[in-house]
Amino acid sequence: MLLCGKRMRSCVVGFLFLFVSVATAQAEDIATIGALGTLLPESGLVRVVGTPGTSISQINIKQDETVEHNATIARLSNHELLEAELKSIRLEYDILLTVHKHKVNLLQLAVDNARLRRNRADASLNKYLALSKNAQVNAVRDQRRNDVADARHALKTKEAELAQAIDTIELDKKKIQLQIEKAQINLNSADVKAPFSGLVLDVPGVVGGPSGAGIVVLADISQMMVKCEVYEGDLGKVKVGQKATASGKSLSKDISGQVVKVGREIDISRKVA
C-alpha cells in the first residue's frame, strides 16, 4: 500500500495515476514509478447512523452539501416522545419546588412561633425570679422553669424539622435534576449531529426508513490521500518521504505530495502491493 498525502478540496473519491520519483544509484538520475490508485479522504468515509430501533423522520441535508461540525443533519422518530418526557420531568420539578417551598414556609412559621413562645417563657421566668425570695412560690417557680424547658425543646424540634426538610428538598432537587439531564441527553440523541465538518457524499437514508442502517456518508476532505498498488518488483524502490505526483480525469490539475506509508503485503495473484 502506498499513501500520498496532500491538502485539497476539489475531488473526494476517484481513480487516478500516481507517479513516484525515485532516486537511483547515481544521485543525478531520477526514475519514475507509475501506479494506479484511488483518491480518498485521509480519515476515511464516515457512515452516520441513528439510534437502533428508530426511524428517520426528517433529513436536513442533501448530497454534495458541506456541513459544519455539530450541525443537525437528521431527526429521529423518537424525538416527540423524548421531548414530552423532558417536559413532564421539568413540570414535576416545578411542582416539587412549589410543594417544598410551601412546606418550608410552614415550618419556618412554626419555628418563629416556637421561638416566640420560648422568649415569652424566658421573660416570664426572669420576671418571676426578679421578685424577692419571700414573694416567690416554689411550685410557681418550678412550673415556669418547666415552661422554659418545654419551649426550648419545642424550638429545637421545629428547627430540626426545618433543617431536615431543607436537606430533603436539596436531595429531591438533585435527583430530578439528574433525570432532567438524562432526558435532555436522550432528546439530543434524537437529533443526529454531524461528527465533524465535511462533505456529504451520499444520503442512503430516507424518511420513514430505519436510522440504524445509515443516514448519510460524510468525509473530511481537508486532508486527502492516494492509496495505490505498486508492482512487487518496484516496491523496494519506494520509500517514505519520496515526492509523488497524482493525475486523473477527476482532477483539474496534477497534485503533488509525498509517500507517507509503504505496505509490505503482496497480492500473489496480481503481483502488487
Side-chain angles (χ1 to χ4, degrees), residues 4-7 18 243-247 253-258:
C4 171
K6 173 63 183 176
R7 291 190 176 277
L18 185 75
K243 293 181 180 180
T245 302
S247 63
K253 61 179 181 179
D254 292 354
I255 59 174
S256 60
Q258 65 179 12

Side-chain angles (χ1 to χ4, degrees), residues 45-50 56 58-68 71-76 192-196 198-206 210-219:
L45 307 182
V46 176
R47 192 177 188 89
V48 181
V49 301
I56 304 170
Q58 180 181 324
I59 299 178
N60 302 328
I61 56 175
K62 298 178 181 179
Q63 187 175 343
D64 296 330
E65 288 184 349
T66 57
V67 295
E68 297 297 325
T72 301
I73 59 180
R75 175 161 290 183
L76 305 182
V192 182
K193 308 287 186 178
F196 52 81
L199 181 68
V200 180
L201 299 184
D202 189 20
V203 185
V206 294
S211 66
I215 303 173
V216 299
V217 179
L218 296 178

